[in-house]
Amino acid sequence: METLVVDHPLVAHKLTTLRDVRTDSPTFRRLADELVTLLAYEATRDVRVTDVTVQTPVAQAEGVRLAKPSPLVVPILRAGLGMLDGMMRLLPTAEVGFLGMLRNESTLQAETYATRLPDDLSGRQCYVVDPMLATGGTLAAAIQFLFDRGAVDVTALCLLAAPEGLAYMDKVFANSGKPIRVVTAALDERLNEHGYIVPGLGDAGDRLYGVV
């Protein structure tokens, strides 16, 4: 598994405001959207393309277009929805699937409650978006779900990641033989006793949409 922590001043600037407890939900949503677009630029570096020739006003030019089948963007509900627009801004021709997963606060294990995905993902590149990689259970379950349906490689975009979550992902997929990448704005210190990232930014879903 490959992990990329995007080291860029604009990423750090926006993340700092996201962490601030004084940042209200409208501002949090806007900054999360902007931050995801910056992460998506790095996350799509290996997106598959095909060579094409186009006619310019002056002459023919060689270029590339996104290959078929189209990439699939998969937000993990509900917090992942706050990252969807930022991802689609760079991949407007991608398709979108939805995966509803909820962490059981007693066991810290992921439970699936809703899916809206193609049954056959053979040959598809998938991009999973979820703000927080904490224990790793939810993201690992989501990635395995996509591989079980035939996805060939998966890139996960997370605003924050914890060392424990990355270690868990490494353990789960050590022998998978499939390319997995995690792109994040920061690798934080640790998890607390409740499984939350420290220093983190709190519950991303609540900060995006309010407490429900």
Side-chain angles (χ1 to χ4, degrees):
M1 186 184 78
E2 178 186 355
T3 301
L4 173 62
V5 180
V6 179
D7 182 16
H8 191 285
L10 287 179
V11 170
H13 165 73
K14 294 179 189 299
L15 180 58
T16 299
T17 306
L18 286 177
R19 291 186 190 275
D20 194 331
V21 69
R22 297 168 298 178
T23 300
D24 59 22
S25 287
T27 304
F28 192 97
R29 286 194 296 270
R30 176 177 58 81
L31 288 173
D33 178 78
E34 294 172 359
L35 182 53
V36 170
T37 300
L38 295 174
L39 297 180
Y41 182 80
E42 294 294 340
T44 55
R45 190 170 293 276
D46 295 323
V47 68
R48 289 199 303 265
V49 296
T50 56
D51 296 329
V52 297
T53 302
V54 297
Q55 181 69 45
T56 80
V58 178
Q60 286 190 334
E62 304 302 317
V64 299
R65 286 201 175 104
L66 293 184
K68 297 292 186 179
S70 300
L72 182 71
V73 178
V74 183
I76 298 180
L77 306 177
R78 72 176 165 139
L81 286 176
M83 302 173 67
L84 180 58
D85 286 348
M87 189 70 185
M88 296 303 292
R89 189 169 294 113
L90 283 192
L91 286 174
T93 60
E95 296 180 0
V96 179
F98 297 93
L99 189 55
M101 306 193 82
L102 187 67
R103 185 175 72 168
N104 186 305
E105 295 302 330
S106 297
T107 65
L108 301 184
Q109 298 301 307
E111 299 175 353
T112 302
Y113 65 86
T115 59
R116 187 70 174 179
L117 293 164
D119 291 332
D120 185 5
L121 296 177
S122 299
R124 302 293 289 269
Q125 283 185 300
C126 296
Y127 295 88
V128 178
V129 291
D130 193 25
M132 314 296 280
L133 172 51
T135 64
T138 298
L139 186 57
I143 291 174
Q144 188 59 57
F145 190 96
L146 298 175
F147 282 149
D148 289 344
R149 294 200 175 190
V152 294
D153 70 79
V154 176
T155 297
L157 285 79
C158 305
L159 302 182
L160 290 179
E164 295 92 335
L166 290 175
Y168 180 79
M169 294 274 293
D170 271 326
K171 179 180 178 181
V172 170
F173 296 109
N175 300 312
S176 71
K178 295 181 182 293
I180 302 169
R181 289 171 296 278
V182 174
V183 178
T184 183
L187 177 60
D188 272 12
E189 297 173 9
R190 58 183 174 84
L191 297 179
N192 65 15
E193 64 275 14
H194 302 294
Y196 284 91
I197 298 176
V198 177
L201 50 74
D203 186 297
D206 288 349
R207 298 199 66 187
L208 282 163
Y209 303 117
V211 180
V212 295

